[in-house]
Amino acid sequence: MPPTSRRLPRFLHAASLALAALVSAPASASDELISTLNAVRALGCAGRPGVAAPLKSSTQLAQAAKGLVDGLKLPDALARQDYRATRTNNLWLSGPQGAKAVTDMVATNYCAALTEPALVDIGVYQQGAQTWIVLAAPFAPVLPMQSGEVASRVLELVNAARSEARSCGDKPFAPAGPVKLNTTLSAVAMGHAQDMEQRSYFAHQAKDGSMPPERATRGGYSWRAVGENIAVGQSTPEAAVEGWVKSPTHCANLMGRQYAEMGIAFAVNKSSEAGIYWVQMFGTQR
């Protein structure tokens, strides 16, 4: 049965399987299998290069793999274990027994999944001649401890982007001068980021009906020009800014010569739909 993979929020999963009662393999068998899989992952297979970082055994993913046997769909099995992933791939193998035989089948048929660098966690569940393997990239925002460090990094990346001429979609933009951080704009951005993560939505219009200019005014920013970029799911400042630069409308905001200041904020909620929400506010005071 071929593996299935997903990128949030779309899920693809294997059909649930009705299985006869079989004796579960001991935990040591799973440990041995993970070790042999990591040996192949390090060397590479089927013409694919190896991956230095080994797969880490996850009890949560092992229980999620068992959940597949019990008839759960993968998203539900992961949710039951309170495991949030940004990418998954699950395999079902029937026939081979023993670590070497299972590993040989994975290396031959599913090498791409085994050697995908983004997948770093693994869970295994075995019953007799059948093996379920769940590979995942955990939701784990790689952010500095202090939000001020995040803001400084975003500002650095934004000003580097503004310093070069670029096309945002089909519209050319000349280099623009640097913007500076503004604490009021950052507070306005934080308010909207927290509202989105708490209510699990993604939009410029807040649930109270307000739009960016209204929120800026309400937050005490007397503006001559104001604009907003938002993003969801990116786990680093680099990824957030890269996404904005690649989006024509967000890029146009970022390159806007009418803006002199910027505010930035992010909010994290693992139980929300997107997990992490970014808000970037641009402005120029009256």
Side-chain angles (χ1 to χ4, degrees), residues 42-93:
L43 293 174
C45 49
R48 294 178 178 272
V51 179
L55 295 163
K56 295 178 293 183
S57 177
S58 166
T59 301
Q60 290 170 293
L61 291 187
Q63 289 300 312
K66 182 179 183 300
L68 300 179
V69 182
D70 296 336
L72 292 176
K73 296 178 180 180
L74 182 57
D76 297 329
L78 292 173
R80 179 171 289 186
Q81 299 303 316
D82 193 29
Y83 186 103
R84 180 166 189 140
T86 57
R87 182 166 176 78
T88 64
N89 201 314
N90 62 284
L91 317 176
W92 171 54
L93 302 95

Side-chain angles (χ1 to χ4, degrees), residues 29-183:
S30 295
D31 293 340
E32 182 183 0
L33 174 57
I34 292 171
S35 179
T36 58
L37 287 171
N38 272 327
V40 174
R41 177 178 167 93
L43 293 174
C45 49
R48 294 178 178 272
V51 179
L55 295 163
K56 295 178 293 183
S57 177
S58 166
T59 301
Q60 290 170 293
L61 291 187
Q63 289 300 312
K66 182 179 183 300
L68 300 179
V69 182
D70 296 336
L72 292 176
K73 296 178 180 180
L74 182 57
D76 297 329
L78 292 173
R80 179 171 289 186
Q81 299 303 316
D82 193 29
Y83 186 103
R84 180 166 189 140
T86 57
R87 182 166 176 78
T88 64
N89 201 314
N90 62 284
L91 317 176
W92 171 54
L93 302 95
S94 181
Q97 298 187 54
K100 184 179 185 306
V102 173
T103 297
D104 287 346
M105 178 174 280
V106 172
T108 300
N109 298 288
Y110 310 122
C111 180
L114 181 61
T115 58
E116 183 173 345
L119 301 175
V120 296
D121 286 353
I122 182 172
V124 173
Y125 187 76
Q126 294 179 293
Q127 285 185 332
Q130 301 188 77
T131 301
W132 289 260
I133 300 173
V134 177
L135 305 167
F139 171 75
V142 184
L143 297 168
M145 292 297 292
Q146 300 297 322
S147 60
E149 293 177 297
V150 175
S152 295
R153 179 57 176 155
V154 172
L155 181 68
E156 178 185 7
L157 293 167
V158 166
N159 281 333
R162 285 171 64 90
S163 70
E164 299 179 359
R166 70 184 62 251
S167 294
C168 299
D170 58 1
K171 185 175 181 180
F173 282 82
V179 292
K180 61 181 181 179
L181 283 175
N182 179 276
T183 56

